[in-house]
């Protein structure tokens, strides 16, 4: 009997040991199902504006909760320092210069809904790939990637033509011109010049007419009439666009339909939140992608009465706290629907805060923490280093900080991989899949070099020297701050990319961000033994990168950015474009 019991025990133990040997080491679970994906993107938010990145005057408990329950990136880099090119790179995983979405002139973003430039139809966004993988895809909020190419309804640049199955929001971007009580923001100085020229022409016409009547000078009525007609045509040529910015740019759309023209700003926040919650509810039974592209915290800082005066950082702080509340509402819905453990949530900003945005003593732009520079400055960290937070309970570790260079372009391959899609092989994708880094299976980012463009002009290059831990950055071009030493271009309102407003450096300014993240003290050949070696290595990488660039149509050329009446979205018969279809609901 004892012999039989011994044999029975051995027959049980042997397969048990064999099974244990086959078990993988204890790591985070493997990805077997397609997750829901929720992408939050703030507008003009500085990295220093939220609590988990060091702010103690603006309350952001919901964004901070994401960081506690997930992974916080401390070197998350935007591919451009302005909205249009940064978002183009985010959507395509490619530097904006590859798609023609970086400018050769001073018009560095989409300027009109009635312009012909925009994200080219031949670009493949991550939304398009996820849609092909069976995802319900939705964009709620800001687009700013163009609408039409050749007619008012071809919608070649529209979100629905780029993989989003549902769109509700602003095809443009929020600007102060959208509110009648705010001073104008769009092309402010240029409009002042146009008014001046119009007044001069009007005065000249009146002077010649009076001179003709009184006989002081010999001038024909035909000449006076021609001058009057020219003055009138000149006025009409610019006032037909700039005089009606609220109607042409400040509109809301649902899919291809204009629903508000001009938009009713008092209810915009509640409608965007309602649409976001509704999208989750409609699609909770299948994988979905929700890109909630906030209008916060771009001027004119639309803030509901509930949040006005509640922060310790003025109207800007009120606006950020309202955005955080909106994040919380969406997270609550995700949890209520039982989707928390099957949803990857991501939060970021499109670029750094706008330092120059002020009205009198009011600071209306964001704070970029310890980092130098801000919005529109491609090289300085304050313009491109942004918050980056991921949460996916059970799949990503909680309360984790990663201090490795990553890019907004990395979202593209990351979500495509999670959805079971394939990265396009017919083009260069500059982003890298972040899941190994986020899950801790690798220790270093795949990025060795990152290139920092201001329009089509390369201003700086970052080299992640992984064996030493150094993060070198060489500045070839920097903006000239005004007034001198001010840290921003207050005299211009925004820093330029080229011309007299920039300084070219030869040799380039060199910093090691691992030792000097504020870029306070440039290194020299006398203070850094590796100076020449580093500059030469970055130079070779830059040449290699430039060889990968191919000529493409310039989407932000003057022709493409100018207003064209025949391309203007209109909810009536042009030029009688006004409606409020949300008010009819």
């Amino acid at each position: 009997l004892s012999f039989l019991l011994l044999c029975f025990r051995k027959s049980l133990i042997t397969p048990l040991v064999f099974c244990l040997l086959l078990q993988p080491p204890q790591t985070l679970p493997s990805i077997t199902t397609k997750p829901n994906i929720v992408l939050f993107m703030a507008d003009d938010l500085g990295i220093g504006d939220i609590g988990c990145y060091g702010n103690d005057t603006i309350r952001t408990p919901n964004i901070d909760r994401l960081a506690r329950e997930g992974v916080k990136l401390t070197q998350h880099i935007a591919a451009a320092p302005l909205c249009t090119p940064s978002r183009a790179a985010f959507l395509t995983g490619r530097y904006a210069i590859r798609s023609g979405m970086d400018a050769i002139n001073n018009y560095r973003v989409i300027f009109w809904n009635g312009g012909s430039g925009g994200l080219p139809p031949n670009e493949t966004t991550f939304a398009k790939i996820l849609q092909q993988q069976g995802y319900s895809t939705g964009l709620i909020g800001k687009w700013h990637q163009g609408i039409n190419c050749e007619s008012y309804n071809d919608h070649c640049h529209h979100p629905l033509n780029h993989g989003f199955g549902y769109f509700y929001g602003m095809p443009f971007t929020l600007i102060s011109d959208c509110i009648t009580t705010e001073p104008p923001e769009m092309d402010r100085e240029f409009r002042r010049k146009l008014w001046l020229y119009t007044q001069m022409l009007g005065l000249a016409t009146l002077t010649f007419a009076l001179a003709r009547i009184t006989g002081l000078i010999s001038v024909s009525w035909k000449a006076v009439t021609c001058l009057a007609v020219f003055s009138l045509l000149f006025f009409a040529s610019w006032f037909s666009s700039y005089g009606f910015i609220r109607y042409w740019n400040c509109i809301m759309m649902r899919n291809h339909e204009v629903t508000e023209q001009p938009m009713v700003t008092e209810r915009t926040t509640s409608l965007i939140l309602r649409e976001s919650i509704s999208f989750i509810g409609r699609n909770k039974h299948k994988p979905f992608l929700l890109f909630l592209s906030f209008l916060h915290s771009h001027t004119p800082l639309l803030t509901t009465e509930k949040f006005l005066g509640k922060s310790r950082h003025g109207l800007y702080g009120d606006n950020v706290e309202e955005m955080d509340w909106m994040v919380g509402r969406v997270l609550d819905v995700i949890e209520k629907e039982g989707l928390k453990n099957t949803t990857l949530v991501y939060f970021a900003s499109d670029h750094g805060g706008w330092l120059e945005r002020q009205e009198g003593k009011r600071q209306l732009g964001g704070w970029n923490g310890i980092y130098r520079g801000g919005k529109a400055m491609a090289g300085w960290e304050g313009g491109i280093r942004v918050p980056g937070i991921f949460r996916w309970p059970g799949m990503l570790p909680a309360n984790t900080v990663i201090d490795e260079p990553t890019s907004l372009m990395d979202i593209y391959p990351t979500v495509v991989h999670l959805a079971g899609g394939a990265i396009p092989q017919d083009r260069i994708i500059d982003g890298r899949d972040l899941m190994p880094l986020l899950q801790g299976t690798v220790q270093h980012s795949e990025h060795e070099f990152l290139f920092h463009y201001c329009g089509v002009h390369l201003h700086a290059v970052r080299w992640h020297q992984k064996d030493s831990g150094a993060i070198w950055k060489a500045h070839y071009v920097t903006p000239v701050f005004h007034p001198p030493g001010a840290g921003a271009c207050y005299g211009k309102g925004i820093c330029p990319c080229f011309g007299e407003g920039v300084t070219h450096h030869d040799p380039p300014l060199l910093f090691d961000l691992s030792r000097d993240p504020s870029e306070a003290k440039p290194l020299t050949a006398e203070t850094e033994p590796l100076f020449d070696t580093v500059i030469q290595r970055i130079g070779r990488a830059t040449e290699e990168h430039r060889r990968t660039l191919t000529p493409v149509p310039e989407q932000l050329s003057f022709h493409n950015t100018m207003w064209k009446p025949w391309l203007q979205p209109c909810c009536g018969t042009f030029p009688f474009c006004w409606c409020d279809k949300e008010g009819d609901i």
Side-chain angles (χ1 to χ4, degrees):
L1 181 62
S2 61
F3 174 75
L4 290 173
L5 287 172
L6 181 62
C7 291
F8 179 69
R9 287 173 182 168
K10 286 183 177 180
S11 67
L12 285 176
I13 291 170
T14 301
L16 280 172
V17 171
F18 183 71
C19 289
L20 288 171
L21 289 172
L22 289 178
Q23 289 291 317
Q26 292 298 309
T27 59
L28 291 166
S30 61
I31 302 164
T32 57
T33 58
K34 296 177 181 179
N36 305 309
I37 298 169
V38 175
L39 309 175
F40 294 115
M41 179 167 282
D43 197 1
D44 286 18
L45 181 75
I47 192 172
D49 287 330
I50 50 182
C52 58
Y53 283 91
N55 193 296
D56 58 3
T57 62
I58 300 177
R59 294 163 296 186
T60 54
N62 296 294
I63 299 172
D64 298 346
R65 170 162 56 110
L66 280 178
R68 286 196 308 274
E69 297 177 353
V71 180
K72 181 178 75 171
L73 306 175
T74 61
Q75 294 189 58
H76 203 39
I77 307 300
L82 283 175
C83 308
T84 296
S86 174
R87 290 163 183 265
F90 173 74
L91 289 162
T92 63
R94 293 150 51 81
Y95 289 108
I97 195 171
R98 298 194 190 279
S99 59
M101 293 292 280
D102 254 336
I104 61 171
N105 51 42
N106 287 321
Y107 290 91
R108 296 160 58 188
V109 297
I110 298 291
F111 253 71
W112 298 97
N113 281 328
S116 55
L119 191 62
N122 63 352
E123 286 293 327
T124 302
T125 67
F126 59 72
K128 187 172 289 186
I129 297 178
L130 265 63
Q131 192 176 54
Q132 294 167 353
Q133 294 302 116
Y135 272 70
S136 295
T137 55
L139 167 61
I140 313 294
K142 171 177 173 171
W143 175 236
H144 210 192
Q145 298 292 302
I147 306 177
N148 299 312
C149 288
E150 298 178 354
S151 68
Y152 73 94
N153 60 357
D154 65 31
H155 300 127
C156 69
H157 304 306
H158 192 279
L160 268 60
N161 201 40
H162 280 295
F164 291 101
Y166 183 77
F167 169 63
Y168 178 80
M170 282 193 79
F172 192 61
T173 184
L174 194 61
I175 51 177
S176 293
D177 304 76
C178 295
I179 299 180
T180 56
T181 57
E182 291 286 324
E185 174 182 337
M186 186 173 157
D187 258 356
R188 187 186 311 193
E189 292 303 317
F190 183 54
R191 288 156 74 179
R192 286 175 180 166
K193 291 179 181 179
L194 291 173
W195 267 117
L196 177 62
Y197 299 153
T198 301
Q199 290 168 348
M200 290 171 63
L201 283 170
L203 182 61
T205 303
L206 183 61
T207 300
F208 278 113
L210 290 174
R212 176 66 178 82
I213 292 171
T214 58
L216 290 177
I217 59 175
S218 177
V219 58
S220 67
W221 280 115
K222 184 178 180 180
V224 174
T225 302
C226 288
L227 182 58
V229 170
F230 176 78
S231 301
L232 184 62
L233 289 175
F234 176 77
F235 173 71
S237 69
W238 68 264
F239 193 78
S240 60
S241 55
Y242 285 107
F244 298 90
I245 288 177
R246 281 185 66 235
Y247 288 88
W248 304 152
N249 281 348
C250 304
I251 68 174
M252 298 290 285
M253 296 182 75
R254 178 177 286 104
N255 295 327
H256 290 147
E257 180 185 23
V258 178
T259 59
E260 296 179 33
Q261 193 168 14
M263 63 194 291
V264 182
T265 55
E266 292 79 8
R267 64 179 179 223
T268 303
T269 296
S270 60
L271 288 177
I272 286 178
L273 182 58
R274 184 190 73 182
E275 290 285 341
S276 301
I277 292 172
S278 176
F279 180 85
I280 294 173
R282 293 196 308 271
N283 297 286
K284 61 184 177 183
H285 296 301
K286 63 179 295 188
F288 65 81
L289 162 71
L290 171 61
F291 178 19
L292 175 45
S293 178
F294 290 106
L295 303 183
H296 299 63
S297 50
H298 199 292
T299 51
L301 301 174
L302 289 185
T303 309
T304 58
E305 189 173 349
K306 176 182 177 182
F307 287 90
L308 287 176
K310 297 301 174 64
S311 79
R312 291 189 290 154
H313 199 74
L315 180 60
Y316 183 85
D318 299 343
N319 192 255
V320 173
E321 290 189 1
E322 181 174 56
M323 179 185 64
D324 178 81
W325 169 77
M326 294 172 72
V327 169
R329 287 292 309 277
V330 174
L331 295 180
D332 290 345
V333 170
I334 291 171
E335 190 159 1
K336 179 182 176 183
E337 297 289 357
L339 303 173
K340 182 175 180 179
N341 293 337
T342 56
T343 302
L344 172 70
V345 178
Y346 167 75
F347 179 88
S349 176
D350 56 355
H351 50 71
W354 193 357
L355 301 180
E356 296 93 344
R357 192 63 178 95
Q358 300 173 329
E359 291 295 345
K361 294 183 178 180
R362 289 197 306 165
Q363 176 63 34
L364 301 179
W367 181 52
N368 300 311
I370 65 171
Y371 305 108
R372 191 175 183 180
K375 175 179 177 176
M377 305 181 211
W380 297 121
E381 287 292 283
I384 53 178
R385 191 181 290 219
V386 297
I389 302 171
F390 289 85
R391 186 193 75 175
W392 188 2
M395 297 302 298
L396 299 181
N399 203 27
T400 300
V401 177
I402 293 178
D403 190 27
E404 287 282 310
T406 58
S407 170
L408 262 67
M409 297 183 293
D410 297 339
I411 303 307
Y412 186 101
T414 303
V415 300
V416 167
H417 164 71
L418 292 175
I423 299 297
Q425 298 300 307
D426 61 343
R427 64 200 64 196
I428 292 175
I429 300 297
D430 298 297
R432 300 291 182 265
D433 184 2
L434 286 177
M435 285 306 292
L437 183 66
L438 296 174
Q439 291 191 311
T441 58
V442 300
Q443 298 303 310
H444 293 294
S445 162
E446 286 189 43
H447 289 291
E448 184 176 10
F449 294 94
L450 287 170
F451 303 91
H452 307 305
Y453 282 94
C454 187
V456 298
H457 308 276
L458 185 66
H459 274 206
V461 179
R462 178 184 317 247
W463 177 25
H464 182 205
Q465 193 177 13
K466 300 175 186 178
D467 55 352
S468 70
I471 300 174
W472 308 100
K473 190 161 73 165
H475 290 258
Y476 295 97
V477 184
T478 57
V480 177
F481 293 150
H482 185 271
C489 302
Y490 293 101
K492 295 179 179 290
I494 197 168
C495 286
C497 295
F498 61 93
E500 296 180 356
V502 302
T503 300
H504 294 264
H505 301 281
D506 186 14
L509 300 180
L510 182 67
F511 300 90
D512 179 2
L513 299 180
S514 65
R515 292 178 285 169
D516 182 17
S518 300
E519 299 173 287
K521 298 178 181 179
L523 302 170
T524 64
E526 289 73 32
T527 60
E528 175 52 62
L530 296 175
F531 183 89
D532 292 331
T533 302
V534 171
I535 295 299
Q536 291 170 10
R537 180 67 187 95
I538 291 177
R540 290 196 302 272
T542 300
E543 290 305 313
E544 292 169 8
H545 165 71
R546 283 182 168 143
R547 285 195 290 270
T548 70
L549 303 177
T550 55
V552 291
E554 297 166 5
Q555 298 298 323
L556 301 182
S557 66
F558 176 76
H559 171 74
N560 280 332
T561 54
M562 67 183 292
W563 182 67
K564 303 175 180 66
W566 59 92
L567 298 183
Q568 178 61 48
C570 181
C571 59
T573 301
F574 186 86
F576 306 105
C577 304
W578 59 80
C579 62
D580 181 7
K581 297 177 182 178
E582 297 295 345
D584 299 333
I585 297 176

